[in-house]
Amino acid sequence: MNDRQGMQGGEQMSVVSRCGATNCRYNENEQCMAGQIEVAFNGQMAQCMTFSPEDQMGDTQTMGEGAR
């Protein structure tokens, strides 16, 4: 999911390398533009809990293959 990690002010930062959820309001050209994301695991699959469809600007929903 993350292509690089670094340290800033003692906190670990991560960057989403690519997002395949093209109908998410935070997705711009397969790049995640959310200020931060929440990821949960269901079995061995990561789910982006920040996913929000473009047509439902306020609802947060899970997305099976959103962030990679």
Side-chain angles (χ1 to χ4, degrees):
M1 174 175 272
N2 300 323
D3 64 349
R4 61 188 162 137
Q5 294 183 342
M7 299 293 283
Q8 180 179 359
E11 293 183 22
Q12 193 169 12
M13 292 181 53
S14 58
V15 176
V16 177
S17 61
R18 189 181 83 189
C19 179
T22 56
N23 65 331
C24 181
R25 71 178 176 150
Y26 299 113
N27 189 319
E28 293 182 20
N29 298 318
E30 295 192 359
Q31 297 292 312
C32 182
M33 297 298 166
Q36 63 184 27
I37 65 167
E38 182 179 344
V39 176
F41 288 93
N42 183 4
Q44 292 186 358
M45 177 174 260
Q47 293 181 323
C48 180
M49 305 301 285
T50 309
F51 172 78
S52 181
E54 289 177 337
D55 60 348
Q56 298 175 0
M57 296 299 271
D59 296 338
T60 301
Q61 299 179 5
T62 61
M63 180 67 185
E65 293 190 50
R68 295 182 200 158

